[in-house]
């Protein structure tokens, strides 16, 4: 039996479905049994647990052949690093108490760095703490920048007629569709082709800049002149807060953007067949961005 945390989220949902499709037994974790119902209809066992609670996380992990571990976001948290540390502590206790032997984590490029990468510092800490568990085989999947992050541009295009963000326009980023991360994680869980403590980067189909992102979106939505503008932190911060982020989370995201812009946070592996994943940004725009932009799918 596999345990999948964040099973209602971008990556966990794909992991759970891929394992179910292979006929595997899957226990799916989220905070609400109601939200897990769709997966239950596909054969999953639901388990409502908050990942800040070591006792319920332990119960959730007992009996697992392997666990998919994802650090949940908490955009309203007044101190997100403290929240991340609570989750890490609970997960470490739960894995030890449950005697789990195999874990695949969702980490990020930049998780090699102990500081100045915003929320990714919490993923660095998660990696480090899991690496201290003897007898645990753990694979940290260090994913690139999510293509889904660019969905935030929908409202900006509607409101301002352009795309805007804190990243340098020319910065080539390894952008990845979360579905590709889910597939890669499911394959690692099925094959258990890792041992001891390992990291593996997932870099998407190719590196792509925000200038190219704007061009690809522009041609898909019939606005071929759509441009990208880099905005200063003073302008981005209030916009992030208006989206529901605490000032702390907004500042961490700006720190991460600065780390990407400076190259402090970057992929370490040369691109290869193993760390390249299939979904292009063009495909993501057609299948993920456009339906939302055209209002055909719930945001
Ligand atoms: N954005 C990027 O570019 C990027 C790049 C690399 C790595 N990452 C990392 O990716 C992770 C997010 O992964 P994702 O996109 O797959 O997740 P997601 O779509 O944001 O979903 C979060 C999941 O966590 C669950 N959840 C939230 N709070 C919880 C809690 N307290 N206890 C238990 N479950 C909880 C949610 O389920 P319910 O709401 O149903 O409880 C949901 O299933 C983050 O750690 C982020 O740092 C992001």
């Amino acid at each position: 039996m596999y345990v999948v945390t964040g099973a209602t989220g971008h990556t966990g949902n794909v992991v759970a479905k891929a394992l179910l499709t292979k006929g595997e037994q899957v226990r799916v974790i989220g905070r609400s049994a109601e939200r897990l119902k769709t997966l239950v209809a596909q054969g999953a066992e639901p388990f409502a647990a908050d990942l800040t609670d070591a006792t319920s996380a332990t119960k959730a992990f007992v009996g697992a052949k392997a666990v998919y571990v994802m650090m949940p976001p908490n955009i309203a948290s007044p101190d997100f690093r403290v929240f991340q540390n609570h989750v890490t502590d609970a997960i470490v206790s739960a894995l030890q108490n449950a005697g789990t032997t195999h874990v695949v984590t969702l980490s990020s490029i930049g998780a090699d760095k102990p500081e100045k990468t915003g929320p990714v510092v919490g993923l660095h800490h998660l990696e480090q703490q899991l690496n201290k568990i003897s007898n645990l085989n753990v694979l940290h999947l260090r994913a690139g920048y999510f293509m889904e992050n660019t969905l935030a541009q929908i409202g900006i295009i509607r409101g301002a007629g352009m795309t805007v963000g804190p990243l340098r326009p020319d910065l080539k980023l390894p952008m990845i569709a979360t579905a590709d991360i889910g597939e890669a994680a499911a394959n690692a869980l099925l094959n258990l082709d890792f041992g001891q403590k390992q990291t593996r980067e997932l870099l998407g189909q190719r590196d792509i800049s925000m200038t190219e992102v704007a061009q690809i979106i522009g041609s898909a939505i019939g606005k071929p002149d759509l441009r990208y503008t880099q905005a200063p932190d003073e302008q981005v911060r209030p916009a992030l807060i208006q989206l529901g982020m605490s000032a702390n989370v907004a500042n961490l995201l700006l720190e991460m953007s600065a780390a990407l812009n400076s190259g402090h946070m970057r992929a370490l592996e040369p691109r290869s067949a193993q760390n390249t994943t299939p979904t292009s940004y063009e495909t993501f725009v057609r299948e993920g961005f456009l339906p939302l932009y055209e209002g055909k799918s719930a945001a």
Side-chain angles (χ1 to χ4, degrees), residues 6-12 30-32 35 49-52 70-73 83 106-108 123 143-146 149 178:
T8 57
H10 288 112
T11 60
R31 287 165 300 176
S32 139
R35 280 200 292 274
D50 194 307
L51 288 176
T52 55
M70 174 249 19
M71 170 69 70
F83 170 82
L106 172 56
S107 185
S108 172
L123 300 179
Y145 188 86
F146 289 2
N149 297 342
T178 53

Side-chain angles (χ1 to χ4, degrees), residues 120-164:
V120 177
V121 174
L123 300 179
H124 170 83
H125 180 68
L126 174 71
E127 286 193 7
Q128 297 291 310
Q129 295 308 109
L130 295 194
N131 288 350
K132 286 183 190 159
I133 305 177
S134 53
N135 302 325
L136 180 69
N137 299 290
V138 59
L139 173 65
H140 305 294
L141 293 176
R142 289 185 176 166
Y145 188 86
F146 289 2
M147 291 180 185
E148 280 76 1
N149 297 342
T150 66
L151 292 174
Q153 297 296 339
I154 291 176
I156 304 172
I157 297 168
R158 287 201 185 118
M162 57 180 174
T163 65
V164 182

Side-chain angles (χ1 to χ4, degrees), residues 36-120:
L36 295 166
K37 269 187 174 167
T38 322
L39 287 167
V40 173
Q42 294 170 58
E45 174 199 345
F47 197 104
D50 194 307
L51 288 176
T52 55
D53 175 6
T55 307
S56 53
T58 301
K59 287 184 192 146
F61 294 171
V62 164
K65 178 179 181 182
V67 179
Y68 177 67
V69 165
M70 174 249 19
M71 170 69 70
N74 183 353
I75 64 165
S77 173
D79 192 337
F80 185 51
R81 287 286 300 106
V82 167
F83 170 82
Q84 287 178 310
N85 287 347
H86 283 157
V87 172
T88 294
D89 291 348
I91 286 174
V92 167
S93 298
L95 292 172
Q96 287 173 322
N97 294 339
T100 308
T101 59
H102 287 80
V103 165
V104 173
T105 66
L106 172 56
S107 185
S108 172
I109 59 165
D112 53 300
K113 304 287 190 306
E115 59 177 8
K116 298 206 167 23
T117 58
V120 177

